[in-house]
Amino acid sequence: MSAGQDAPRAGDPQLARLLRRTVLLVAGLNLAYFVVELTVALAAGSVSLLADSVDFLEDTAINLLIAVALGFPLARRAVLGKALALLILVPALFAAWEVVRRFGDPPAPEVLPIVLASLGAVVVNGVCAWLLVRVRHHGGSLSRAAFLSARNDVLVNVAVIAMGLVTAWTGSGWPDLVLGWGIILLAGHSAYEVWEVSEEERLAAKAVAGEEIG
């Protein structure tokens, strides 16, 4: 991948506008469906769907970071990145608490709302991946990460649907609990990656300013 493909080319405002419009649209779709999945998860009593809603918040954060990264200096971008990483962790910690709270005797969640919400999530993530595929080479590593995340999230949504079917078959809450914990770990890793990118940008800003890097 050439450096010219890795970021919006200097003097190409049309490409920068296309990238910004795309990631803002994707961020809006992810934020809206985060609210939908969170609401359904709480109503259905599903830890895995609750954890999957965190993934939509993560994608919202990443795409917002890309949008502002086009105009922000490195130092401000680094601060925003850390704030977004912490934002991802808030619902993830809430979902983790739900796992701990239900661990002794996990109740089986309502299956139909989970399956319907997850089918909607497949559609939303598919649309986001389709939008991002056109610009995935023009916003640096974060835009490629956003595209790959949207594409891979479809597999997580399918796993949640499969969990719902297993729950309907067994009547047990354990499949939901186990899958929920796995998704929470993925969300924690994503927050860590966003934090690491922001830390790299902080150090780069200090280097550009000629400050000593400790």
Side-chain angles (χ1 to χ4, degrees), residues 88-176:
I88 294 169
L89 282 180
V90 172
L93 290 174
F94 176 68
W97 167 248
E98 285 296 303
V99 170
V100 173
R101 189 175 66 84
R102 302 181 189 192
F103 191 80
D105 185 21
E110 297 180 42
V111 173
L112 183 58
I114 294 172
V115 172
L116 292 178
S118 297
L119 287 172
V122 170
V123 173
V124 172
N125 280 316
V127 169
C128 290
W130 176 75
L131 290 169
L132 290 166
V133 71
R134 299 177 300 166
V135 296
R136 69 187 188 277
H137 297 313
H138 300 301
S141 59
L142 278 177
S143 64
R144 289 198 300 276
F147 163 71
L148 293 173
S149 179
R151 187 191 66 180
N152 295 340
D153 288 346
V154 174
L155 299 178
V156 175
N157 302 144
V158 172
V160 175
I161 293 172
M163 179 281 302
L165 298 177
V166 172
T167 298
W169 176 48
T170 62
S172 169
W174 281 106
D176 178 59

Side-chain angles (χ1 to χ4, degrees), residues 44-120:
S46 172
V47 174
S48 61
L49 196 64
L50 178 63
D52 189 53
S53 71
V54 179
D55 197 64
F56 280 98
L57 188 61
E58 170 215 331
D59 288 348
T60 301
I62 289 175
N63 283 281
L64 284 176
L65 186 59
I66 296 168
V68 299
L70 295 175
F72 273 24
L74 283 173
R76 291 179 66 187
R77 197 186 310 171
V79 172
L80 178 64
K82 285 183 167 58
L84 293 176
L86 293 175
L87 180 64
I88 294 169
L89 282 180
V90 172
L93 290 174
F94 176 68
W97 167 248
E98 285 296 303
V99 170
V100 173
R101 189 175 66 84
R102 302 181 189 192
F103 191 80
D105 185 21
E110 297 180 42
V111 173
L112 183 58
I114 294 172
V115 172
L116 292 178
S118 297
L119 287 172

